[in-house]
Amino acid sequence: DYLRRLPVGAGTRRDSPERALRFERYLASKRVIEQVLLAMGEIDESGLRGALEVALFNSGVRPLGFVGETVSFDSHAHEAETSGVMPDDPVVITEPGRRLGDGQEGFVLTRAKIRPVSGVDPASTIGEVS
C-alpha cells in the first residue's frame, strides 16, 4: 500500500526520482528493523545495547560524530543545546547522532547534540559590558 501511494513519473513507465528515493529509504528502514528484531530475539537484557549497536551498524547506521569532537556547526546534522550558535561556528559534540549510510549518500536519522566550544551560551552574554 505504501509503495502504491508514491508518485510515478509523468507519462513514463519509470519511477519518479521522489518515488525512487522514498523506496530506497523504505528498504533501508526495513533492513534496520529486521536486524534489530533479529538481535532482540538472540540476546538477554544485559547484552541488549551492544547487540543493538551491532545490528544497527550492520544495517548501515553510522555514528554522527563522537563525544568531545570539535566540528563546525551544521543545522542539518547538529542540535544545539544552547541558543545563538551560528552556521560554521566551532562546536563540541556532547551526544553523537546517527546517520544511515556514509558521506553525501547518507541521511541523518538523529542529529548530534552540541555546545559552543567555549561552553558559554552566547545568548546569555548579550548586553553584558566587559
Side-chain angles (χ1 to χ4, degrees):
D1 185 48
Y2 171 78
L3 296 175
R4 278 188 299 249
R5 289 185 284 140
L6 293 175
V8 294
T12 68
R13 296 180 88 64
R14 296 180 52 205
D15 290 342
S16 71
E18 178 185 1
R19 181 184 174 98
L21 181 60
R22 284 188 184 177
F23 182 69
E24 287 298 319
R25 287 182 180 167
Y26 168 79
L27 288 178
S29 297
K30 183 177 180 275
R31 286 191 299 263
V32 170
I33 291 168
E34 287 170 343
Q35 287 290 317
V36 169
L37 291 174
L38 179 66
M40 290 175 70
E42 295 179 1
I43 56 170
D44 61 5
E45 285 186 34
S46 63
L48 182 59
R49 180 161 182 97
L52 289 176
E53 291 287 345
V54 169
L56 290 171
F57 184 85
N58 289 340
S59 297
V61 176
R62 301 293 182 257
L64 187 56
F66 300 95
V67 174
E69 180 181 8
T70 301
V71 296
S72 294
F73 179 69
D74 175 357
S75 63
H76 298 291
H78 305 127
E79 180 180 333
E81 294 177 343
T82 62
S83 59
V85 180
M86 301 300 290
D88 297 323
D89 281 355
V91 294
V92 176
I93 295 177
T94 59
E95 185 179 318
R98 303 285 178 143
R99 72 171 177 246
L100 184 58
D102 294 312
Q104 299 297 331
E105 299 295 316
F107 63 92
V108 175
L109 297 169
T110 58
R111 296 186 297 168
K113 294 190 176 162
I114 56 91
R115 65 170 172 76
V117 168
S118 64
V120 176
D121 182 350
S124 69
T125 59
I126 294 175
E128 290 184 8
V129 179
S130 300

